Short mmCIF file of all heavy atoms in Angstrom, two decimals:
data_model
loop_
_atom_site.label_atom_id
_atom_site.label_comp_id
_atom_site.label_asym_id
_atom_site.label_seq_id
_atom_site.Cartn_x
_atom_site.Cartn_y
_atom_site.Cartn_z
N MET A 296 6.58 14.30 0.67
CA MET A 296 6.61 13.29 1.71
C MET A 296 5.47 12.29 1.55
O MET A 296 5.65 11.12 1.81
CB MET A 296 6.55 13.97 3.08
CG MET A 296 6.38 13.03 4.25
SD MET A 296 7.68 11.84 4.59
CE MET A 296 9.00 12.87 5.11
N GLU A 297 4.30 12.77 1.12
CA GLU A 297 3.16 11.87 1.01
C GLU A 297 3.40 10.76 -0.01
O GLU A 297 3.09 9.59 0.26
CB GLU A 297 1.90 12.66 0.67
CG GLU A 297 1.49 13.56 1.83
CD GLU A 297 0.41 14.56 1.48
OE1 GLU A 297 -0.04 14.60 0.32
OE2 GLU A 297 0.01 15.30 2.39
N LEU A 300 5.77 8.25 1.48
CA LEU A 300 5.13 7.36 2.45
C LEU A 300 4.32 6.26 1.76
O LEU A 300 4.38 5.10 2.17
CB LEU A 300 4.24 8.16 3.40
CG LEU A 300 4.96 9.01 4.44
CD1 LEU A 300 3.97 9.88 5.20
CD2 LEU A 300 5.75 8.14 5.39
N THR A 368 11.06 12.75 12.00
CA THR A 368 11.40 14.10 11.57
C THR A 368 10.19 15.02 11.63
O THR A 368 9.03 14.56 11.61
CB THR A 368 11.94 14.11 10.12
OG1 THR A 368 10.90 13.66 9.25
CG2 THR A 368 13.18 13.23 9.97
N ASP A 369 10.46 16.31 11.67
CA ASP A 369 9.37 17.29 11.59
C ASP A 369 8.64 17.16 10.27
O ASP A 369 7.41 17.31 10.21
CB ASP A 369 9.92 18.71 11.74
CG ASP A 369 10.44 19.00 13.13
OD1 ASP A 369 10.07 18.28 14.09
OD2 ASP A 369 11.25 19.93 13.29
N GLN A 370 9.39 16.85 9.22
CA GLN A 370 8.77 16.68 7.90
C GLN A 370 7.75 15.53 7.94
O GLN A 370 6.66 15.64 7.39
CB GLN A 370 9.85 16.41 6.85
CG GLN A 370 9.33 16.38 5.44
CD GLN A 370 10.45 16.18 4.43
OE1 GLN A 370 11.62 16.05 4.79
NE2 GLN A 370 10.08 16.13 3.17
N PHE A 371 8.11 14.43 8.61
CA PHE A 371 7.16 13.33 8.75
C PHE A 371 5.94 13.78 9.54
O PHE A 371 4.81 13.48 9.18
CB PHE A 371 7.80 12.12 9.44
CG PHE A 371 6.78 11.10 9.85
CD1 PHE A 371 6.26 10.22 8.93
CD2 PHE A 371 6.28 11.07 11.15
CE1 PHE A 371 5.27 9.31 9.29
CE2 PHE A 371 5.31 10.17 11.53
CZ PHE A 371 4.80 9.28 10.60
N GLU A 372 6.18 14.47 10.64
CA GLU A 372 5.07 14.89 11.51
C GLU A 372 4.06 15.74 10.75
O GLU A 372 2.86 15.66 11.03
CB GLU A 372 5.59 15.63 12.74
CG GLU A 372 6.37 14.77 13.71
CD GLU A 372 5.55 13.65 14.37
OE1 GLU A 372 4.31 13.60 14.23
OE2 GLU A 372 6.16 12.81 15.05
N HIS A 373 4.51 16.52 9.77
CA HIS A 373 3.59 17.30 8.95
C HIS A 373 2.72 16.42 8.05
O HIS A 373 1.69 16.85 7.57
CB HIS A 373 4.35 18.32 8.10
CG HIS A 373 4.98 19.42 8.91
ND1 HIS A 373 4.26 20.28 9.70
CD2 HIS A 373 6.27 19.78 9.05
CE1 HIS A 373 5.07 21.12 10.30
NE2 HIS A 373 6.31 20.84 9.93
N SER A 374 3.17 15.19 7.85
CA SER A 374 2.42 14.25 7.00
C SER A 374 1.85 13.09 7.82
O SER A 374 1.51 12.05 7.26
CB SER A 374 3.34 13.70 5.90
OG SER A 374 3.79 14.73 5.07
N ARG A 375 1.74 13.26 9.11
CA ARG A 375 1.25 12.17 9.97
C ARG A 375 -0.14 11.70 9.56
O ARG A 375 -0.43 10.50 9.61
CB ARG A 375 1.23 12.58 11.43
CG ARG A 375 0.71 11.41 12.28
CD ARG A 375 0.94 11.51 13.72
NE ARG A 375 2.29 11.45 14.16
CZ ARG A 375 2.94 10.32 14.45
NH1 ARG A 375 2.38 9.15 14.24
NH2 ARG A 375 4.16 10.36 14.92
N ASP A 376 -1.02 12.60 9.14
CA ASP A 376 -2.36 12.19 8.72
C ASP A 376 -2.30 11.22 7.55
O ASP A 376 -3.05 10.24 7.51
CB ASP A 376 -3.21 13.41 8.35
CG ASP A 376 -3.58 14.26 9.55
OD1 ASP A 376 -3.49 13.77 10.69
OD2 ASP A 376 -3.97 15.43 9.33
N THR A 377 -1.40 11.47 6.62
CA THR A 377 -1.22 10.56 5.49
C THR A 377 -0.73 9.20 5.99
O THR A 377 -1.23 8.16 5.56
CB THR A 377 -0.22 11.13 4.47
OG1 THR A 377 -0.72 12.38 3.99
CG2 THR A 377 -0.01 10.18 3.31
#
Side-chain angles (χ1 to χ4, degrees):
M296 172 63 68
E297 293 170 358
L300 287 173
T368 63
D369 291 340
Q370 187 177 1
F371 168 80
E372 292 296 351
H373 292 300
S374 298
R375 180 165 293 272
D376 290 343
T377 300

